[in-house]
Each structure stands twice: as C-alpha cells, then as structure tokens.
Amino acid sequence: MTHNTTLALAAIAAALLTGCASSGGSGASGVSSPFSADGSSALGAVHVNTMRVFGDSYSDPSFTGSIGTINWSQQLQARGLVTQNDNFAIGGARAATGEVRAFDQQLNTALGRNKPIADGDLTVIYLGHNDIGRTGSPDGLVKATTGYKEGVARLIAAGAANDNRRIFVTQLSNWGRAPGVSDGTDYQVRAWNTMLAGIANENANIVAVDMYTPFERVFADPQAYGFTDVTTASPSRSAIDALFQDAIHYGSRGQEIITRVYQHYLTRGWDWANSVSAGAAASAQINKDIDDGTLVLGLAGQQNLRYGLRLLPLGMSDSKSFALRSSASHVFRPFESTAVLQRSGPSGLALDTALGSDAKPHAGRVGVAIYQYQQNESLGSAQDRYGRSYTANALSLYWHQPVDKLSFSSKLSHLNLQFDSQAQDDMVNLSLRNRSSGDTWSLENTLRYPLASAGWDFTPWVSLTGQTHKVNSANVQSLYTTDVRYGSSHMSELLTGLGIDVQSKPIYFGNGKKLQLGGSLNHVTSLYRDAIRVSMEEAGSPGLVQSEVFQSPRINRTQFALQATLDIAKQIQLRATYGTQLQNANDTSSLLLAASFRY
C-alpha cells in the first residue's frame, strides 16, 4: 500500500478559490440580500446604509443614556451593522396622533428632510408601550391602530418598503410583566402584536419582529439565562443579572437581547436561501473529480486505453493517485491543489467501459460514478452565532467522446443534500441543532481541444452547465423566536465557461529530479439565475406566512493560476501553487507551498 503525508509549509490565503479551470464548473455562490455588502449570508457582511428608527423610550438614545443603559440602535451601529443611525424615537411617544412626540410627528421630522429613502435602508418601528399604558388602553387601541397604520402607509409611499429595502414592525414583549405595569395588559399586547403581524402579511418587504418570544423564555426560566431577578427594578444590577432598570424599562442586558433579536431578523432568511444553491459547489467538485479521474486527453493517451471495464478512485490528490494512473493522463487542475491537502482518501468510485473495441479503444467511454462530498462552515465570530455543514451523496452518469481532434465530455448528476445547522448564543443560553434536506440536478457539457508542442500541452475549452437546486420544507428551531416553518425553495441557473490550461512536458534533471510547470486562465459567467423565494411561518404567529425574495447575483469570475511541481526523489515531491480571482485579487489570492512524502 502507498501512504502519503502532506505538509503545508506556508499558506497565504484570504479565500481558497472555488471552481476549476478545466471543468468550467460553477463553484460556490451566495444569494444577495438588501443589507449584504458582498452577497454573503454571514452576519459580518451585513451592511445597512441608513437605519431610521421611530419609537419611544425603549429606542430613544437620550432616554436610555439618562438612565445609564445601552441602546439597541447604537449597539447595531457600534458593531458595524449600520452605517448611519437616524433615530427619531422620543421617550413617551405613542402611535396615536395628537401629541408632539407621536409617531406622525416623528415622521414629519424624518420625511421633511432632504434625504430620500434609498436601497439598503432599513426602517424600524418600535411603538405601542405608551398606547397601552400601565393599566391598558381606554379605547382598546383604536386610535393607536389608526395612527400606526397611517404612519406605515406614509413610509410605504416614501419608498421604505420598495425592493432592496425593509420595514421592521416590532411586536412588543409582555408589557404586563414589568413591575410598574398591570398584569391585565397582556391581552392588549397580544392584540397589538396580531395587528402588526397583519400589516407584515400584506407586504413582502415588511417584517414583523417578534420580541415577545425571547423575553417569555427569560421570564419562564430566568436562571438559565443568567438572571436572578426578573420581577423588580434593580438599577445597580440591571447590567449584571437583573432584567429591569426601573419599573417599566429593561436594563442593559435587556437592551442587549433586543439588539440580538434585530440582528437575527436582519439575516433571518439568508442562510436558508444560500442553502438552496449549496449543491452548486458539490456538483462542481464532483464534475472536476470525474474529469480528473477518468478523462484521457490526446490521441496517444487514448490509444493506451484497453477495451473493457475500469474501476477508478475519485477525489484523490496527484501524489496519492500516482501508483494508480499516469500523471500525464489527467486534467491539469491548479486550483484544486489548495484543497486536496484536506483529503484523507478517495471520495468516490467510477466504473466505466469503452464504446469501441481493442482495435478502436478511443471511440469513447461511458460510466457511472458514486460520490460523497462534505463541506463545513464554522462559527465565524462572537457576532456570527451560526454554523452550517452539509453532505452531498451523488450519482453521476458521464460520457467522454473524442470527436476528431476534439474531446467532448457530458456529466449528468443528481445530488442528495443533507444539511446540519448549528446555532448558539450564550446570552440567551441556547444551543440548537437543525437538520434539513434538498437535492441538485446538474448537466455539464465541456468541449476541449488538446494541442501538443515539443515542450508544452495546451488545452483550450468551453463549457455549458445547467443546474436546478431545491431545499425541502422544514421546521427549524430559532434562538430568538418560536420555531419557524420554512417552505420549499428552489432555483435554476445556466452558466458558461471558457478557458485554457497549459502544462509543460516533464523536465528531467540529474539524480531522478523532475520539474513540471503549468498554468490556467478561465472565465465563468452566468447566463441566467433564478431569484429565490423564502417563505417563513413562525409557530407563535400561525397563519402569518412571510416571504423574502433574494436576488441571485450574477456570476462573473475570471481565475488565473500557476503551478510548479518538483520531484526531488522517488518518495518526495515539492509543489508551489498560486491562484487568484482577477476581479478581486486582494481578497481571493492564495499562495501555497507543500511537500508530499510517500512511504
């Protein structure tokens, strides 16, 4: 048996490049969102241009500052999630009209400025406490409901709910649990929250933010969330282990929970939307490994094939596959050299047969491959409390056919995807694990034209790839809200690739040393990509189905790579690889030096 140990001697990488020049695969790609600076779903990439806040003392920075607590809107800005925080909230404000602090007057101030609402802007409304009051609204919230709906209508007319913008209507926590408020107000809180859910249900770009559930969890089990007192005002302890700063206001720890709930809603549907297209990365990897493991370029190599069945391993690095096939027979893949270091063995098997005969072995080959692909995304930072991994089990049919001096390849793959998502937040003392499933269909066609000279092999190629992706509906536990029922989501995409691979003939030195050089340049672009619709129904608001539509960004990627491989002894190989995406070389370049030892 041949064993292999690979040591990474140096790696400088902002991001390992996805996709492969030789296969023309699509690689991984995320789903854009209204508040994403780079198309990513990671919380670190959230970027709200201007956040406009309308509210009462729970949101008014002057008031929270006067009682010595943090303010949720300022926290979002301090964490880099919001560029401009335009906060119009005033302590004591009501949704009902008729007061200088009321919602309509705050709107007059905001909309009277010469600053129109633009793409990437977020509007947050957090009102209702003072309309209910300490003993309940005398008119059953009739005036408050009218004022609130009129204010939302003005914001919609001003463009706050246009595409690439959002309005957050914030449902109240159980106001009656505050030490200075009557217990009998809870029914009005629930009625108010139901009214807000109805507003959200009428517009896809208005989101009902559930503040009720996370605080109910705290009230139900205070110690589990690090609180020792959730019933009395304790200004000296409200930043430590008490919930209330005074008779009706949360302290800093309560404001922190509010902050994290808003953070949750900023990216609520993104991970689900990005899961829809996750199969693209797995499909691209499978197509690469099928080519690398089974494709033979050039007439000389094809004539060395034998008629009959071949059983070949897939997903092995060059050094591991050295004893199984000639290194001159496979497709040059410089981009993959940065990834194979993590592999411990073959990821799949391919079984194929020739379509010709011993007299004409180069008539073509057809085969079937089974494959397993795994990808992990770790928890990123203290603010990014979500991680995701998935496994793809694939069945692929492939066909390699020489056409005169050309080489045509077609691969039809079906991938069954199993997602495993993790979420954790020490603040609310929860660690959750959710599972879901999906599938991907992929058809990739590639045409290559191998050219040989005295010292170099050149392979220009062009590819066309069609894919459909689907994630099945699932019930998902949430850190901050009641369980969420996600509906089935799907998308289709069509991509094309064009490139050239270059590889030198081996250069031999004395004492068995051998040097081989290579390079690759390719461009992949999307001809068509569906938008992804994500529908969500929270268990706490049955019947309220909220939908978000995420536009899939256009793929326009040019990759360049260079590689040098030096065999200094029969068992020792040194490899240097540089790769970059030319549109963003500063953030996507990678340089890798590696040594492989066979023993």
Side-chain angles (χ1 to χ4, degrees):
M1 178 179 293
T2 299
H3 298 274
N4 180 77
T5 301
T6 304
L7 303 178
L9 303 180
I12 306 171
L16 294 180
L17 298 173
T18 58
C20 169
S22 301
S23 72
S26 63
S29 54
V31 178
S32 64
S33 67
F35 308 122
S36 178
D38 59 5
S40 168
S41 67
L43 187 57
V46 171
H47 180 82
V48 175
N49 290 333
T50 298
M51 179 176 69
R52 295 169 177 83
V53 179
F54 303 95
D56 52 32
S57 53
Y58 271 59
S59 305
D60 180 1
S62 297
F63 181 84
T64 54
S66 70
I67 62 173
T69 70
I70 63 173
N71 178 278
W72 65 264
S73 69
Q74 293 176 331
Q75 289 297 302
L76 290 177
Q77 184 177 29
R79 294 170 191 181
L81 306 178
V82 172
T83 298
Q84 181 69 36
N85 177 20
D86 288 351
N87 195 319
F88 302 97
I90 305 173
R94 291 180 170 87
T97 60
E99 295 183 357
V100 294
R101 296 174 293 185
F103 185 21
D104 63 325
Q105 297 302 311
Q106 295 179 28
L107 285 170
N108 289 342
T109 301
L111 300 179
R113 304 186 310 163
N114 186 24
K115 186 178 181 180
I117 300 172
D119 286 352
D121 287 359
L122 170 66
T123 301
V124 180
I125 311 171
Y126 193 2
L127 284 163
H129 299 102
N130 296 304
D131 293 281
I132 296 173
R134 299 193 181 211
T135 59
S137 168
D139 70 347
L141 294 170
V142 173
K143 293 180 180 179
T145 298
T146 300
Y148 197 102
K149 289 183 176 180
E150 289 177 350
V152 171
R154 290 179 64 186
L155 286 167
I156 293 174
N162 289 0
D163 289 341
N164 297 318
R165 307 166 194 181
R166 295 290 184 271
I167 299 176
F168 282 180
V169 291
T170 310
Q171 296 174 314
L172 303 182
S173 56
N174 192 342
W175 175 237
R177 288 188 180 270
V181 180
S182 169
D183 295 341
T185 58
D186 185 46
Y187 79 97
Q188 287 195 346
V189 170
R190 292 178 180 273
W192 182 256
N193 289 346
T194 299
M195 182 272 293
L196 298 184
I199 292 175
N201 208 24
E202 295 173 355
N203 192 306
N205 293 328
I206 299 179
V207 178
V209 174
D210 177 12
M211 286 292 174
Y212 194 92
T213 299
F215 282 99
E216 283 301 284
R217 290 175 175 172
V218 172
F219 290 124
D221 191 0
Q223 292 184 345
Y225 295 91
F227 289 97
T228 60
D229 185 356
V230 297
T231 60
T232 61
S234 181
S236 64
R237 305 291 299 180
S238 66
I240 305 171
D241 55 10
L243 181 59
F244 287 99
Q245 172 78 13
D246 59 28
I248 58 174
H249 296 102
Y250 296 134
S252 289
R253 291 203 68 200
Q255 283 279 336
E256 176 62 26
I257 293 175
I258 294 172
T259 304
R260 296 195 184 192
V261 172
Y262 281 124
Q263 288 180 180
H264 162 74
Y265 276 91
L266 280 172
T267 58
R268 179 177 59 157
W270 297 2
D271 282 337
W272 184 265
N274 278 309
S275 296
V276 176
S277 59
S283 177
Q285 185 66 53
I286 291 167
N287 289 333
K288 298 167 197 171
D289 285 335
I290 288 176
D291 280 346
D292 190 44
T294 67
L295 182 61
V296 176
L297 295 177
L299 182 60
Q302 293 161 13
Q303 290 176 338
N304 290 330
L305 290 174
R306 293 290 181 262
Y307 176 73
L309 294 173
R310 296 187 304 173
L311 183 63
L312 299 168
L314 300 179
M316 300 184 72
S317 64
D318 295 346
S319 55
K320 290 182 180 180
S321 60
F322 184 83
L324 300 173
R325 61 181 184 270
S326 168
S327 62
S329 68
H330 68 276
V331 179
F332 174 57
R333 303 191 307 156
F335 291 103
E336 287 305 289
S337 297
T338 55
V340 295
L341 300 180
Q342 306 301 322
R343 300 184 186 175
S344 58
S347 300
L349 291 173
L351 177 67
D352 66 17
T353 185
L355 296 175
S357 63
D358 281 331
K360 194 178 181 182
H362 52 283
R365 302 189 75 88
V366 294
V368 61
I370 56 174
Y371 197 99
Q372 185 175 82
Y373 174 87
Q374 293 182 320
Q375 186 177 67
N376 297 303
E377 297 179 9
S378 302
L379 297 176
S381 66
Q383 291 187 9
D384 192 357
R385 287 172 283 277
Y386 299 88
R388 180 184 60 176
S389 63
Y390 69 90
T391 300
N393 295 299
L395 177 66
S396 300
L397 302 177
Y398 62 90
W399 172 34
H400 300 317
Q401 179 65 51
V403 183
D404 194 11
K405 295 181 179 181
L406 302 175
S407 175
F408 172 77
S409 297
S410 183
K411 296 172 285 292
L412 174 65
S413 303
H414 177 258
L415 291 73
N416 176 265
L417 305 171
Q418 298 296 324
F419 297 95
D420 190 349
S421 301
Q422 306 85 37
Q424 62 184 33
D425 190 340
D426 293 338
M427 177 69 183
V428 295
N429 197 37
L430 277 180
S431 180
L432 303 176
R433 189 170 187 175
N434 293 296
R435 290 183 172 88
S436 56
S437 63
D439 66 302
T440 286
W441 284 93
S442 173
L443 176 62
E444 179 180 287
N445 297 300
T446 306
L447 189 64
R448 299 177 175 86
Y449 184 34
L451 300 170
S453 65
W456 295 85
D457 292 326
F458 301 89
T459 308
W461 58 265
V462 62
S463 69
L464 183 66
T465 304
Q467 296 181 334
T468 62
H469 312 286
K470 178 183 177 182
V471 174
N472 301 319
S473 59
N475 289 318
V476 176
Q477 291 181 295
S478 168
L479 287 172
Y480 306 103
T481 68
T482 55
D483 292 354
V484 180
R485 175 71 177 179
Y486 285 91
S488 175
S489 300
H490 61 85
M491 74 165 293
S492 299
E493 58 184 344
L494 184 64
L495 306 108
T496 185
L498 178 68
I500 183 170
D501 303 327
V502 181
Q503 189 168 24
S504 73
K505 298 292 196 299
I507 304 171
Y508 295 94
F509 302 96
N511 301 322
K513 295 182 176 65
K514 181 180 69 175
L515 175 66
Q516 197 163 19
L517 306 174
S520 183
L521 179 66
N522 80 87
H523 181 77
V524 176
T525 188
S526 54
L527 302 178
Y528 170 80
R529 302 192 81 206
D530 273 340
I532 298 176
R533 178 176 293 275
V534 179
S535 63
M536 298 158 283
E537 181 180 5
E538 294 182 3
S541 301
L544 172 60
V545 179
Q546 294 184 307
S547 295
E548 292 268 2
V549 176
F550 297 86
Q551 299 298 324
S552 301
R554 178 178 173 83
I555 295 175
N556 192 33
R557 181 176 60 242
T558 304
Q559 294 176 305
F560 172 71
L562 296 172
Q563 182 176 333
T565 302
L566 176 64
D567 293 333
I568 59 176
K570 185 177 181 179
Q571 294 82 15
I572 303 175
Q573 184 185 81
L574 303 179
R575 184 169 61 246
T577 302
Y578 169 77
T580 188
Q581 181 174 315
L582 297 183
Q583 288 87 350
N584 189 16
N586 290 337
D587 295 329
T588 62
S589 297
S590 64
L591 175 64
L592 179 70
L593 304 178
S596 297
F597 302 89
R598 290 184 295 274
Y599 55 91

